Every structure is written in structure tokens, then in C-alpha cells.
Amino acid sequence: KQEVTQIPAALSVPEGENLVLNCSFTDSAIYNLQWFRQDPGKGLTSLLLIQSSQREQTSGRLNASLDKSSGRSTLYIAASQPGDSATYLCAVRRVTNDMRFGAGTRLTVKP
Amino acid sequence: GAVVSQHPSWVICKSGTSVKIECRSLDFQATTMFWYRQFPKQSLMLMATSNEGSKATYEQGVEKDKFLINHASLTLSTLTVTSAHPEDSSFYICSATQNYGYTFGSGTRLTVV
């Protein structure tokens, strides 16, 4: 059974800080891992997708890494801004084709 | 990019009635769609996997007779919550696969009163 854990559950930082969100998963048999952003009461916005054969992906101020063998991924956000405040979800796509989500990290960036 | 349209975005219904939620892939064909449920401050939990032209596969603990899923075409899947109860109040969200990634609908907030 695939379990996805995200640490920390909540994070509050001042504007401008660099920060790291962590995701771990128990079953390394995955196709890919995806990071999403969810604003309150809204759907999901895909941020980065890392294939199982890849080590990292970058988009703007975001960088995500994947270590499949150890079951870990990190999302690095550089120079955080108040607009980055949201819940960040990590999800792994299993070989059965469905996705399993972590509980998310609720990020608040204070101006 | 891939777009998945989901509606209604919110609905309020009386206890005992049924509610249908639609999920459409607008610019691609989705042989597989997924339905998730999210309770407040919790993560998304997979309810069922919907394959075009066949019966949906439900996760353990999800009542298939209560949550009816129909995937009649490659671009449309529907979730019907039958005989809704207040405990069914939740955020329901669908997703569809394209290539390697998943595209999610904007979700439906269901409130049963």
C-alpha cells in the first residue's frame, strides 16, 4: 500500500526566504511524482512533474527533486512571495495508474 | 494545455436527493478519469477509477451504489451522489490522464442540508 507523507504540515515564513517542502512515499514502484498547489476552496494547479527516471525538474523559482530509491522528494521555493501562500500537495502516480496524495503543507508567506 | 472542465463548481441539495457532477476533458481524449473526495483540511482521497465503456473500479470503503460513476465517452465522466446525506458534504474533484501527467478539474463543493 502506497502512503505519502508530507512534512511539515504547516509553515509560516517571512517574504524573501528560501524554503523546502518534503514528501516521502513508501513504495518506490512509481511512474512519476507531481507537485500541486491548491488555493483554499479551489482545484489543483500542477507545478512540476518528475518522471521516475528523472532526478529533478525546475520551473522559475521552483525546483523539485526525486530520489526514488529512498522514497523522497523535495520542493524548493526560492525567494518566497506572499502570492506563494497556498497548500502544496505531493502526489505519486502508482503503477496501477492512479495517484496517491500526501496531506499537504500549508504555506503562509508573510509580507 | 490540457483542460478538464468540472461542474457545477458548487451545489447545495436537500438530504435524500441526488446530485450529478460532470467532468469533461475539453481538448483531449481521456480513457481513464479519476474521482477524488477531499474533506476540510485533509488531502484528496481516491474514490474510484473510471474507464470509458466499462464499470468503474471503486476504492475500499466507497459505496458503489451510492456514488454512481458513468464514463460513456472519451471526454465525459459523471459522478452521481445518490440519496445524499450531510456526511456526504465534501469537495469532489475529478482528474484525467494525458501522456504522463494528470489534469484536474476545478472541483465541486457539495453541501447537503
Side-chain angles (χ1 to χ4, degrees):
Chain A
K1 180 182 177 183
Q2 178 70 274
E3 293 186 3
V4 183
T5 304
Q6 289 188 247
I7 295 173
L11 182 63
S12 180
V13 300
E15 182 176 4
E17 274 202 10
N18 302 323
L19 52 99
V20 175
L21 309 182
N22 297 291
C23 173
S24 62
F25 47 95
T26 55
D27 186 352
S28 61
I30 63 170
Y31 278 141
N32 58 47
L33 182 144
Q34 207 162 350
W35 283 92
F36 295 90
R37 167 184 174 141
Q38 185 177 31
D39 292 287
K42 303 294 184 181
L44 304 182
T45 300
S46 179
L47 299 174
L48 290 165
L49 183 150
I50 311 176
Q51 300 295 344
S52 61
S53 59
Q54 297 176 324
R55 299 285 291 183
E56 67 176 340
Q57 284 286 335
T58 298
S59 176
R61 295 183 292 109
L62 305 178
N63 175 276
S65 67
L66 174 64
D67 184 343
K68 198 176 79 164
S69 61
S70 66
R72 295 178 187 275
S73 176
T74 61
L75 177 66
Y76 177 82
I77 302 177
S80 58
Q81 302 170 359
D84 295 330
S85 298
T87 296
Y88 290 81
L89 296 169
C90 161
V92 296
R93 178 181 172 183
R94 305 195 304 168
V95 293
T96 48
N97 213 29
D98 60 288
M99 298 186 82
R100 298 290 167 167
F101 284 81
T105 294
R106 193 164 59 255
L107 173 66
T108 303
V109 181
K110 299 178 179 178
Chain B
V3 177
V4 172
S5 174
Q6 183 177 343
H7 51 89
S9 57
W10 61 271
V11 58
I12 301 173
C13 70
K14 290 184 177 180
S15 186
T17 61
S18 296
V19 173
K20 180 184 285 188
I21 303 170
E22 289 191 350
C23 180
R24 292 179 184 273
S25 56
L26 297 186
D27 49 2
F28 66 100
Q29 293 183 330
T31 54
T32 304
M33 289 186 176
F34 303 91
W35 288 94
Y36 294 84
R37 179 168 53 185
Q38 185 180 34
F39 291 107
K41 296 188 177 181
Q42 295 185 28
S43 191
L44 281 74
M45 298 299 293
L46 179 66
M47 298 176 66
T49 301
S50 167
N51 292 297
E52 185 265 336
S54 63
K55 292 183 178 180
T57 302
Y58 291 80
E59 292 297 300
Q60 191 173 8
V62 178
E63 301 174 58
K64 63 180 182 180
D65 294 329
K66 181 173 183 61
F67 299 98
L68 301 179
I69 293 174
N70 183 277
H71 194 160
S73 76
L74 287 171
T75 59
L76 174 65
S77 177
T78 61
L79 167 67
T80 301
V81 183
T82 63
S83 187
H85 290 117
E87 56 264 32
D88 298 324
S89 298
S90 185
F91 187 67
Y92 294 85
I93 189 166
C94 68
S95 73
T97 61
Q98 188 201 31
N99 297 325
Y100 299 105
Y102 286 69
T103 301
F104 284 79
S106 55
T108 298
R109 173 76 57 193
L110 170 63
T111 301
V112 184
V113 298

